[in-house]
Amino acid sequence: QVQLVESGGGLVQAGGSLRLSCAASGGSFSTYSMGWFRQAPGKERAFVAGINWNGRNSYYQAAVQGRFTISRDNAEKVVYLQMNSLKPEDTAVYYCAADRSGLGIWQSPSRYDYWGQGTQVTVSS
């Protein structure tokens, strides 16, 4: 079974930074496309950033482009989301997800096969 475990969430002031980590076990991490999603209360789960299987391509939702960076370390089976210049509207539960097909970077949650438990990010004003 593939398991994804997020860490690094917390409470930060607006303008601050956090780095989220997602550690994978089982499966074949280096063949997966990986994504980060977030869900705020009353909102649908929304795509934040994605990265292809070898880390050569990435894609960002417009609201975070220029502030967030997704990266991966296939040797360690970890995907990261570096979040800078955080805003209160970034407050959400953040989830990492894996697409085992590795065929692309998808914005729809339905394209992903495995999900972490989520980690809370709260940005105060």
Side-chain angles (χ1 to χ4, degrees):
Q1 297 289 334
V2 174
Q3 186 173 1
L4 306 174
V5 180
E6 300 98 332
S7 61
L11 173 63
V12 297
Q13 297 271 357
S17 297
L18 284 173
R19 188 182 72 163
L20 305 184
S21 299
C22 177
S25 61
S28 183
F29 177 82
S30 63
T31 69
Y32 301 162
S33 296
M34 299 294 297
W36 285 97
F37 292 77
R38 64 188 181 186
Q39 188 166 23
K43 305 284 189 177
E44 293 186 351
R45 190 169 299 188
F47 176 83
V48 176
I51 190 165
N52 80 324
W53 66 274
N54 64 7
R56 298 296 300 274
N57 297 299
S58 59
Y59 186 76
Y60 299 89
Q61 196 262 106
V64 308
Q65 194 159 24
R67 299 189 296 120
F68 291 9
T69 302
I70 188 170
S71 61
R72 67 191 297 161
D73 184 339
N74 282 348
E76 298 296 327
K77 296 185 177 182
V78 179
V79 61
Y80 301 99
L81 186 68
Q82 178 67 46
M83 304 185 295
N84 298 326
S85 301
L86 282 161
K87 304 174 180 179
E89 52 261 45
D90 296 318
T91 295
V93 177
Y94 283 70
Y95 300 89
C96 68
D99 165 27
R100 64 185 176 184
S101 76
L103 295 177
I105 301 171
W106 310 107
Q107 297 187 57
S108 173
S110 67
R111 303 296 301 215
Y112 292 83
D113 302 293
Y114 308 109
W115 292 84
Q117 81 289 346
T119 186
Q120 177 70 48
V121 172
T122 303
V123 184
S124 64
S125 60

